[in-house]
Amino acid sequence: MINLNKRHLSLPKALTLGFLIIILIGTVLLTLPLSTQSGHSTSAMTALFTATSATCVTGLTLVNTALHWSLFGQLVILVLMEIGGLGFMTFTVILFFFMRRRLRLSTRLLAQESLNLENLSQLSLIRLIIVLAMIIQLTGTALLFADFYPRYGLVRGLWFSLFHAVSAFCNAGFDLFGNSLESFANDPYLLSVMAALIIAGSFGFLVWQDLLLYRKRHRLSLHTKLAMGTGGIITIISAIIYFFSENNLGQLSHQLSASNRFMNTIFMAITPRTAGLVTIPYSHLSIAGIAITMFLMFVGGTPGSTAGGVKTTTIGLLALQSIATLRGRKDTELNHRRFTQENVLRALTLIFVAITILAIAILILAATQPIPKTSGIEYVTFEALAAFGTSGISLGLTPHLTLLGKVLIMALMFIGRVGIFTVMFSILNADHKQKGYRYPEESVLVG
C-alpha cells in the first residue's frame, strides 16, 4: 500500500492512481492472444477501452463481448467488474483482515475516501460489503441458473449465470449474448431477477446496513430515507413517463404480451440508472423516452453503491433545498432533521462541475464524431451521459468513435466511477486546510 506521508500523495491522488493501475493491469491481460477467441492480440486501444469500461462498471464496448473475448478474456472482464463495482480498496482492506495485520492510518483514510464514508468508525462496513455482495451475487447466480440451465446446459449455463449476476449487481452492463437482454424481452422471470440485482447493487451499502439493522435500531438514518425516497420517486415517475411516451411499448405489441410490455416498461425505468442492460433497442425510443433516459443516466444510484451518476441523494437534497428556498425557509429539512450547509454546498458544486464537464465533452464530441444525418445532438449527448453515468447504454456511436472520442469517453467513464470530487481534487491539488482569515461579505443579485 502506498505510504501517503512519505510520498506526499494525497488521498484523492492515491485513489485515482489505484483505479488507473487496475485498468492498466486489465489492459495488459486483455491484449494477450489468450484473451481472444481468434487467438490474435487485441489492439491496445480496444483493450484499454474495455478494461476502463469494465473497471468503471459502464458497459460501453468497441467489440462484441460474446464474440471477441475468450473465456479467459471474459473472466478478466468479470474480475474487473467486481473490483470496480465494490472498489479496489475494499479488497485491500479484506486482504489485511485475512493476514491479521493492522491497517495503517493512510490505508484506513484511503478506504474511507474510496467508499464515501463519513468517518473511520464506519470501516467495519467493509466486512458487510463483502459478505452481502457475495450472498446477493451467489443467490442471483442460482436464480439465473434455473433459467439458463435448460437453455445452455450445465457448464455454459453456470458461467452465464455467474457473469450476468455480477454484471447486474455491479451495474456493469456487460453481457455474453451479443445484444444485451433483447432476446429475453418475453422472459419476465429473468427480467425480475436482473432488476432485483440491479436495485440491490445501486442501493448503497450504508443503506443496506441501515435496513439490516433496522430491527435492532428501529430507525433509519437521514441518508437512507433520502436515498430510498428519491430513488423510489424517480423510478415511479420514469416508469409512468415511459408508459405513456412509448405507449407501453405498443410498437412491439406484435412481439410482447400486455403483461410482458408492462414488465419491460418497469425494467426500462430501472436499468438506465447505471445498469446498462436493455431489452429494447434505445434507438427505437421516442424523443421523450430518450430524454427521460438521459436524465436517469445523469442521476445514477446511491452514494457508496456500485452505481455512477451524480447520485440520488444529490438530486433529492437540491430538490428539498429548492422547495425550502421557494417557501422562504432558511433550513433544508426532512423528517424533522436539518441538512448541514456543507451538504447543500457540496451538492451544488457537484451538479455545477458535472454539467460543465458534460457540456465540454458534448461540444467536443459533436464537433469531432460522425453523426448520422438522421440524428441530432442527442446522438452524442446520450453517449456522453451513458459514459459519465456509467450506464453503458448506447445509440450506436461507441463502435464508430474516433481516437479522440474514445479517449474522451474513457475519461468520462473514469470520472463517473471514481467520482468528480476525487478526480478534481487530484488534478487541482486540493488542500483541506482553511485560511486563517476571511474577506468581508457582500451580496449580488441572483435570478
Side-chain angles (χ1 to χ4, degrees):
M1 176 50 62
I2 298 170
N3 190 318
L4 303 180
N5 295 323
K6 290 183 179 180
R7 303 196 182 183
H8 306 291
L9 198 62
S10 66
L11 293 177
K13 285 185 178 180
L15 189 57
T16 302
L17 181 61
F19 267 97
L20 287 174
I21 290 173
I22 297 298
I23 290 172
L24 291 177
I25 292 173
T27 300
V28 172
L29 292 175
L30 290 176
T31 55
L32 299 176
L34 179 64
S35 295
T36 64
Q37 293 197 22
S38 65
H40 297 98
S41 298
T42 300
S43 68
M45 176 53 71
T46 299
L48 176 61
F49 193 97
T50 304
T52 303
S53 184
T55 307
C56 298
V57 289
T58 304
L60 291 173
T61 57
L62 299 176
V63 294
N64 189 307
T65 304
L67 299 178
H68 182 83
W69 303 110
S70 65
L71 178 62
F72 177 78
Q74 293 169 7
L75 180 61
V76 171
I77 292 172
L78 183 144
V79 173
L80 291 176
M81 288 190 298
E82 193 75 76
I83 294 174
L86 301 185
F88 76 94
M89 280 307 303
T90 301
F91 294 94
T92 301
V93 174
I94 287 297
L95 180 61
F96 272 85
F97 285 158
F98 277 125
M99 295 172 63
R100 299 185 181 278
R101 289 181 57 186
R102 185 178 179 82
L103 291 174
R104 284 185 251 175
L105 179 60
S106 59
T107 306
R108 293 165 63 86
L109 290 172
L110 191 55
Q112 176 190 345
E113 182 84 12
S114 172
L115 299 170
N116 291 321
L117 303 179
E118 291 185 356
N119 52 68
L120 290 175
S121 64
Q122 293 177 315
L123 278 184
S124 58
L125 178 66
I126 290 182
R127 293 184 181 181
L128 171 66
I129 291 175
I130 292 294
V131 172
L132 188 63
M134 293 303 104
I135 290 175
I136 292 175
Q137 290 176 98
L138 289 176
T139 302
T141 299
L143 293 174
L144 291 176
F145 184 69
D147 191 286
F148 287 155
Y149 173 64
R151 300 172 187 264
Y152 304 110
L154 177 61
V155 177
R156 197 176 181 207
L158 188 59
W159 171 240
F160 275 29
S161 300
L162 176 62
F163 187 94
H164 293 97
V166 172
S167 180
F169 177 76
C170 291
N171 284 211
F174 280 84
D175 71 276
L176 299 179
F177 305 115
N179 61 351
S180 196
L181 300 181
E182 292 178 22
S183 302
F184 300 91
N186 277 302
D187 190 341
Y189 171 80
L190 181 133
L191 296 186
S192 299
V193 174
M194 296 297 279
L197 286 168
I198 292 168
I199 293 172
S202 65
F203 254 11
F205 293 103
L206 283 175
V207 173
W208 272 112
Q209 184 182 47
D210 253 12
L211 294 175
L212 293 173
L213 295 177
Y214 180 75
R215 292 181 62 182
K216 180 179 179 181
R217 296 178 177 176
H218 301 292
R219 62 178 294 274
L220 296 176
S221 67
L222 187 61
H223 167 81
T224 297
K225 292 177 182 177
L226 180 63
M228 295 188 66
T230 306
I233 291 172
I234 290 176
T235 300
I236 292 172
I237 292 176
S238 57
I240 293 172
I241 293 175
Y242 278 128
F243 187 90
F244 289 104
S245 69
E246 310 311 312
N247 192 24
N248 192 211
L249 305 181
Q251 73 274 22
L252 299 174
S253 58
H254 62 289
Q255 302 175 19
L256 303 174
S257 64
S259 59
N260 283 341
R261 290 204 307 271
F262 179 78
M263 182 64 212
N264 277 264
T265 301
I266 298 299
F267 192 81
M268 285 175 61
I270 294 171
T271 191
R273 298 208 358 236
T274 84
L277 295 166
V278 302
T279 59
I280 307 297
Y282 276 74
S283 57
H284 293 178
L285 264 60
S286 65
I287 295 298
I290 290 175
I292 186 61
T293 301
M294 289 193 288
F295 170 75
L296 292 175
M297 291 190 296
F298 180 72
V299 174
T302 305
S305 71
T306 60
V310 296
K311 305 297 190 295
T312 53
T313 51
T314 303
I315 297 299
L317 178 56
L318 292 184
L320 292 172
Q321 169 66 32
S322 300
I323 293 172
T325 301
L326 293 174
R327 297 180 67 179
R329 295 181 177 178
K330 185 177 180 180
D331 296 329
T332 306
E333 303 168 346
L334 177 67
N335 290 126
H336 308 293
R337 290 291 185 273
R338 174 168 53 89
F339 293 98
T340 65
Q341 192 64 23
E342 182 183 356
N343 276 155
V344 177
L345 292 176
R346 191 178 177 91
L348 287 168
T349 303
L350 179 62
I351 291 293
F352 175 78
V353 175
I355 292 175
T356 301
I357 291 173
L358 284 169
I360 294 172
I362 291 167
L363 177 62
I364 296 174
L365 288 172
T368 61
Q369 304 308 304
I371 301 178
K373 293 182 180 180
T374 56
S375 302
I377 190 67
E378 78 282 352
Y379 191 66
V380 294
T381 302
F382 194 95
E383 213 79 8
L385 283 165
F388 173 78
T390 68
S391 176
I393 303 172
S394 176
L395 290 181
L397 174 61
T398 297
H400 308 290
L401 288 169
T402 63
L403 178 61
L404 176 61
K406 293 172 185 175
V407 172
L408 193 57
I409 291 297
M410 284 191 292
L412 287 173
M413 290 191 290
F414 188 80
I415 293 171
R417 177 62 189 101
V418 178
I420 288 178
F421 285 120
T422 300
V423 175
M424 296 308 294
F425 286 167
S426 301
I427 296 173
L428 300 176
N429 292 315
D431 187 358
H432 293 288
K433 294 180 180 179
Q434 299 297 319
K435 295 184 293 187
Y437 59 89
R438 301 177 72 184
Y439 292 109
E441 188 176 67
E442 185 175 345
S443 298
V444 297
L445 295 177
V446 177

